[in-house]
Amino acid sequence: MATKIAKKENNLPAGLMEDMLADAGDGIEYTTEELTIPRIKMAQAVSAEVKKSEGSFIEGLAIGDIFNTVSREVHPQEEGINVVVAYQRTAYYERIPDNGGYVGEHAADSQEVKEATRDGSMEWLANGNEIVKTDESYVLVQSESGWAPALIAMTKTQLKVSRRWKTQILMQTVEIKGESKRLPLYGTIWNLNTVDETNKQGQTYKNWVVKKVGIVDDPVLYNEAKTFRQSVSDGEVKTTPDQDTGVPPDSSVSDDSIPF
């Protein structure tokens, strides 16, 4: 992990610990608009986080590693990252070409989306802007300090991985009192890692690979995921589109080349 910090909370004087317990949360009164939900991203060769000349550089981050955009915690490719999915949605974001920024979001059944035209891995609106279909998974991520909320956004070639992941989620069942029941979305732990892929231009880049770890067997974790799901559903969790999709242009590959 990058930037490890020694834990000292157990060395605090007893009196101070009691004061902190009594004052828990005091002064931390932020609205959701003031907070940023962390994003979980993979490091590509083009990622600013792997370049020492960039302000967002993360020490120890290598291509293929997974990182948290807020805590800047690094999960090595050899290990990947464990998550519990709490909520999923598909968004259609309008973006101005050549890093011009996002304009807004369109409904899936809007006329603009229906009339969009495809060119390779990209889709274009009638006004010349790009429409970026994005599968967003709101998850609890396991780290050294426990489980915490985050967002994983998959777009372009990553959508093929997302479709397979959703199929796997749909297949998860458990036997209860002799009956096979489908698990809730937040009933399974998944491991995400990265693999190499190559596009038509011969460019190599990283894509997600998802594997099942097991069923959630911790009641606390289960209820945390369920509560997080409700918060997102109620609109209490705010996000903004990611300016960087992390995928090279025309990264088209066949579904068969993306493993589970």
Side-chain angles (χ1 to χ4, degrees):
M1 303 292 179
T3 319
K4 291 185 177 180
I5 300 176
K7 298 181 179 179
K8 300 181 179 180
E9 61 267 23
N10 292 331
N11 297 325
L12 294 174
L16 179 57
M17 291 186 69
E18 291 176 1
D19 288 343
M20 286 189 174
L21 180 61
D23 298 332
D26 185 32
I28 305 176
E29 300 173 353
Y30 305 128
T31 65
T32 54
E33 288 76 12
E34 296 176 285
L35 304 178
T36 299
I37 183 171
R39 288 178 180 267
I40 300 300
K41 303 177 71 174
M42 67 181 86
Q44 305 273 12
V46 297
S47 299
E49 288 81 3
V50 300
K51 300 176 181 179
K52 291 185 177 180
S53 59
E54 297 288 344
S56 55
F57 172 71
I58 299 177
E59 185 72 37
L61 180 67
I63 297 172
D65 288 346
I66 299 168
F67 64 96
N68 184 307
T69 59
V70 173
S71 70
R72 300 171 72 80
E73 186 173 6
V74 175
H75 301 263
Q77 185 176 10
E78 295 77 18
E79 303 172 8
I81 190 168
N82 289 341
V83 306
V84 175
V85 184
Y87 188 92
Q88 290 180 316
R89 69 184 289 263
T90 298
Y92 292 82
Y93 294 117
E94 180 179 349
R95 186 175 68 179
I96 300 172
D98 301 322
N99 298 318
Y102 279 86
V103 176
E105 182 178 350
H106 294 276
D109 59 354
S110 67
Q111 200 63 29
E112 291 89 349
V113 172
K114 290 179 179 179
E115 295 177 354
T117 57
R118 177 177 291 276
D119 181 15
S121 64
M122 306 178 78
E123 291 187 275
W124 300 96
L125 299 174
N127 63 6
N129 288 340
E130 184 183 4
I131 190 74
V132 182
K133 180 181 179 181
T134 306
D135 276 358
E136 297 178 339
S137 294
Y138 293 79
V139 302
L140 292 182
V141 179
Q142 187 178 31
S143 66
E144 290 183 337
S145 57
W147 295 83
L151 173 64
I152 300 173
M154 296 188 181
T155 186
K156 297 184 184 295
T157 299
Q158 299 167 0
L159 288 172
K160 299 176 183 179
V161 180
S162 179
R163 286 197 295 270
R164 291 195 173 192
W165 190 9
K166 289 178 180 178
T167 302
Q168 287 179 276
I169 291 173
L170 193 63
M171 295 167 57
Q172 301 309 307
T173 60
V174 63
E175 188 169 313
I176 302 175
K177 296 182 179 180
E179 293 186 45
S180 181
K181 298 291 185 180
R182 182 175 293 163
L183 283 172
L185 179 65
Y186 42 87
T188 308
I189 300 175
W190 304 92
N191 179 267
L192 272 69
N193 214 321
T194 62
V195 292
D196 287 334
E197 288 184 356
T198 305
N199 63 16
K200 294 179 180 178
Q201 287 71 41
Q203 298 170 306
T204 299
Y205 61 96
K206 294 293 181 179
N207 204 347
W208 294 108
V209 59
V210 182
K211 294 181 180 179
K212 177 182 176 181
V213 175
I215 294 176
V216 175
D217 58 4
D218 179 355
V220 175
L221 174 59
Y222 182 86
N223 284 300
E224 283 182 0
K226 187 175 181 179
T227 299
F228 183 39
R229 173 178 175 79
Q230 191 62 52
S231 295
V232 178
S233 180
D234 290 345
E236 297 174 359
V237 178
K238 305 294 183 181
T239 61
T240 56
D242 191 0
Q243 296 291 334
D244 178 19
T245 62
V247 184
D250 298 321
S251 304
S252 302
V253 295
S254 67
D255 285 336
D256 292 338
S257 66
I258 300 178
F260 281 105

